[in-house]
Amino acid sequence: MSTLNSAAAELIARSNRLGADPKNTNYAGGNTSAKGTETDPVTGQDVELLWVKGSGGDLGTLKESGLAVLRLDRMRALVDVYPGVEREDEMVAAFDYCLHGKGGAAPSIDTAMHGLVDAAHVDHLHPDSGIAIATAADGEQLTTTIFGDKVVWVPWRRPGFQLGLDIAEIKAKNPQAIGCILGGHGITAWGDTSEEAEASSLWIIDTAAAYIAEHSKAEPFGPALDGYGALPAAERLAKAAALAPTIRGIASQDRPMVGHFADTDVVLDFLAAAEHPRLAELGTSCPDHFLRTKVKPLVLDLPADASVEDSIARLKELAVSYREDYQGYYDRNATPESPAIRGADPLIVLVPGVGMFSYGKDKQTARVAGEFYTNAINVMRGAEGLSTYAPIDEAEKFRIEYWALEEAKLQRMPKPKPLATRVALVTGAASGIGKATAEKLAAEGACVVIGDLSLEKAQAAAAEIGTADVAVGVQVDVSNADAVQAMVDAAVLAFGGVDLVVNNAGLSLSRSLLETTEKDWDLQHDVMAKGSFLVSKATAKVMIEQELGGDIVYISSKNSIFAGPNNVAYGAAKADQAHQVRLLAAELGEHGIKVNGVNPDGVVQGSGIFASGWGANRAAVYGVEEQDLGKFYAQRTILKREVLPANIANAVYVLCTAELSHTTGLHIPVDAGVAAAFLR
């Protein structure tokens, strides 16, 4: 069993420390390296190697598998065959011929910077304080003022082989220097040991931050803009939830997106100041920032107290102009060799007094895009506080956004799962059918909101599925309209909207007609008939506003068709649900919303209904032991199979896939075959 080289081990530890603190670099931003010696397994001779964080990895979570390992002699020999800056992209493919051993990550565009600089350990980071200096109009002078000759200014150059040569030359000509400020971009630091490199990086970051704090003007974003201050928290969240479906629709015209909402002080303070329209229009500068956020955001130009209706109308107007503007940006800069336009929708939408909506192919990507724009705001504050914010120009941004290498990286991404970008809301999802359904939808790529009467159980079920980027738990009493609306608001704030709804919440009391009380009747109809109506109404409003279509699935029952004994309230409520499917399918089809149902029977395993007394009652009716009820139900079916929660979940999933894109108003029996419940 091989042991990790000590240089590589130190590199991973340093990377994890640096990446754990957001003041040092953004998620998946920057890269680090170490040089050391290892025995060549072929020759038995010592060979110098470069370990460098691979393409797309994150410093905070970097592991050995995330490192690219290259032969240093071969990598440095590339200098002799370098064809010049016009063809420097070819050098990335050449890195593959310098790799040592098997496995490991793909070398990134910054590999040359690490290999060519004559230092054992090199860090390239994207700290807000460093980028603030890098994007200031007089950044070169500020670099000298702040750091003296310990840090050298490097004019903007796109990442690549030539930048690596430039920094190597700077290091050679400035032996006193510990690093440099890369104009418009970030910082690079080095050291003879891992400790020295880390200390150099932190000194640059902290020295820049301290200088900004001491010398920044009092209002770097200008004076407060009347009427643009933050709304009170409750009002802010209510308005955000009301606007979220519209904004998600705006961000999803080219392709569906998952959303994230943030109302941090950084964002709210920026939007409350007079200079925010000018600065937002200038766009971001660091390549990592605008690759995640697009070159600039869409900014609502209305005060915080503008009505939801007026805000929606204006957002829709701005969306048209944003798309036209982005198309113009593409047309001005594209060449015949450029990749096709990737879509003209905004990834960041800013609403004064409310906050920031960010979007991506999944929740993590959406959340990180928002974090990156927060970084960009911090950068603007620092640059404006000392000087004037001056990001790299549009043409350079386009060269990176539509870089052939970036396009190749996107093409290597794995194919998305069938339900990727879809937001599912499942009621009664802390156990049984609901839990199995939530697990299935999440496994197939959906973000899932677990609604349940018990908040504790809902959150526990969500935690079993994954992080808050995948699933969240919400308390809801589906018979209460306000509680249902609160659940839907929580869903749109968590993931941007709702696309797929499963009306699963239910209960049952097994009693004869004469034993069924009015309270029994009302309870079951309130939860299943009324509850499904309330959930469908609240979520259909979101889906209609998003203009992305959607799915509503009712978990009805065999008992909506089959008339059994001691079951009047439950069976009638299930029949109500079954007809809601048909009624809503007819009504919502014009909006691209499909409404279908699943009719289970005899799902005993994990069932909250059966565990709450229904199982004991049904076992008594049929004269079997309660623990044998599932087997009993199986034997009375045509297929002689017990129906499990996963079987229902599979049916829900199939109804929501592209394969059944033309199916609505359907009920699927999942009962292992009960002839009396056949649909006619």
Side-chain angles (χ1 to χ4, degrees), residues 14-310:
R14 175 173 99 244
S15 302
N16 293 164
R17 287 192 299 270
L18 289 170
D21 190 339
K23 80 177 175 66
N24 298 330
T25 201
N26 40 256
Y27 174 82
N31 31 69
T32 51
S33 67
K35 301 178 182 76
T37 302
E38 205 164 78
T39 302
D40 186 325
V42 176
T43 66
Q45 303 297 312
D46 284 348
V47 59
E48 281 191 282
L49 298 179
L50 170 72
W51 291 267
V52 58
K53 191 205 84 170
S55 178
D58 172 55
L59 290 176
T61 55
L62 183 65
K63 297 180 176 61
E64 183 181 4
S65 59
L67 295 174
V69 188
L70 296 90
R71 282 275 299 261
L72 202 52
D73 58 344
R74 293 182 66 81
M75 211 228 82
R76 286 177 169 168
L78 293 176
V79 174
D80 299 328
V81 296
Y82 175 49
V85 70
E86 294 303 317
R87 292 172 54 195
E88 71 171 343
D89 288 0
E90 298 171 24
M91 304 306 288
V92 176
F95 293 149
D96 290 343
Y97 294 93
C98 304
L99 293 173
H100 175 80
K102 57 184 181 180
S108 77
I109 188 67
D110 286 316
T111 299
M113 179 194 306
H114 293 274
L116 299 179
V117 169
D118 186 19
H121 298 265
V122 179
D123 297 334
H124 168 59
L125 304 170
H126 299 150
D128 294 347
S129 63
I131 306 175
I133 308 304
T135 57
D138 53 348
E140 183 171 5
Q141 179 57 50
L142 280 169
T143 298
T144 301
T145 301
I146 297 169
F147 306 108
D149 64 358
K150 289 183 69 174
V151 178
V152 182
W153 172 264
V154 181
W156 161 258
R157 185 183 290 280
R158 189 176 63 157
F161 203 86
Q162 187 60 53
L163 181 60
L165 288 170
D166 293 349
I167 297 177
E169 183 178 5
I170 283 170
K171 167 75 168 63
K173 289 183 176 179
N174 296 273
Q176 80 289 348
I178 64 169
C180 51
I181 298 288
L182 310 183
H185 185 166
I187 74 167
T188 296
W190 47 75
D192 291 333
T193 66
S194 185
E195 291 78 9
E196 281 185 20
E198 185 173 358
S200 296
S201 294
L202 295 176
W203 185 82
I204 295 172
I205 293 166
D206 294 340
T207 301
Y211 187 89
I212 292 169
E214 184 178 350
H215 295 88
S216 177
K217 65 184 72 162
E219 295 181 322
F221 293 146
L225 198 55
D226 188 37
Y228 280 69
L231 294 171
E235 190 178 341
R236 192 162 70 231
L237 292 176
K239 189 172 182 180
L243 297 177
T246 299
I247 298 175
R248 186 179 182 220
I250 287 170
S252 300
Q253 292 185 56
D254 290 309
R255 61 185 63 85
M257 290 284 183
V258 176
H260 176 72
F261 173 71
D263 58 349
T264 59
D265 289 344
V266 171
V267 172
L268 293 170
D269 291 348
F270 174 66
L271 294 173
E275 295 299 320
H276 84 261
R278 171 182 67 85
L279 292 168
E281 182 64 24
L282 286 172
T284 53
S285 185
C286 176
D288 262 23
H289 291 182
F290 61 76
L291 283 172
R292 299 271 191 164
T293 66
K294 271 203 164 78
V295 287
K296 60 185 177 183
L298 185 157
V299 185
L300 178 61
D301 53 0
L302 294 178
D305 62 357
S307 69
V308 169
E309 293 74 21
D310 287 349

Side-chain angles (χ1 to χ4, degrees), residues 228-439:
Y228 280 69
L231 294 171
E235 190 178 341
R236 192 162 70 231
L237 292 176
K239 189 172 182 180
L243 297 177
T246 299
I247 298 175
R248 186 179 182 220
I250 287 170
S252 300
Q253 292 185 56
D254 290 309
R255 61 185 63 85
M257 290 284 183
V258 176
H260 176 72
F261 173 71
D263 58 349
T264 59
D265 289 344
V266 171
V267 172
L268 293 170
D269 291 348
F270 174 66
L271 294 173
E275 295 299 320
H276 84 261
R278 171 182 67 85
L279 292 168
E281 182 64 24
L282 286 172
T284 53
S285 185
C286 176
D288 262 23
H289 291 182
F290 61 76
L291 283 172
R292 299 271 191 164
T293 66
K294 271 203 164 78
V295 287
K296 60 185 177 183
L298 185 157
V299 185
L300 178 61
D301 53 0
L302 294 178
D305 62 357
S307 69
V308 169
E309 293 74 21
D310 287 349
S311 298
I312 286 175
R314 182 58 178 151
L315 282 163
K316 290 182 176 179
E317 292 174 353
L318 290 169
V320 174
S321 58
Y322 185 97
R323 289 179 60 83
E324 291 172 349
D325 184 69
Y326 188 86
Q327 184 69 55
Y329 156 78
Y330 179 86
D331 293 342
R332 284 191 301 276
N333 294 286
T335 67
E337 293 75 35
S338 296
I341 190 170
R342 298 195 194 102
D345 298 332
L347 294 178
I348 304 290
V349 178
L350 302 174
V351 179
V354 177
M356 171 174 60
F357 299 81
S358 54
Y359 297 90
K361 63 183 177 64
D362 51 38
K363 169 68 175 186
Q364 184 195 52
T365 305
R367 174 176 55 77
V368 169
E371 292 171 2
F372 275 53
Y373 198 78
T374 299
N375 291 135
I377 293 173
N378 290 332
V379 166
M380 293 175 197
R381 183 193 297 107
E384 287 283 308
L386 299 180
S387 172
T388 302
Y389 176 61
I392 62 175
D393 66 30
E394 176 187 279
E396 286 299 304
K397 291 179 182 179
F398 183 87
R399 286 182 69 209
I400 290 176
E401 186 178 359
Y402 285 92
W403 204 350
L405 295 175
E406 184 65 26
E407 182 69 13
K409 184 192 295 185
L410 293 173
Q411 295 301 324
R412 291 196 300 269
M413 297 290 284
K415 182 181 178 182
K417 293 181 178 180
L419 298 184
T421 75
R422 303 200 72 188
V423 180
L425 189 160
V426 185
T427 64
S431 63
I433 292 171
K435 185 177 182 183
T437 300
E439 291 170 342

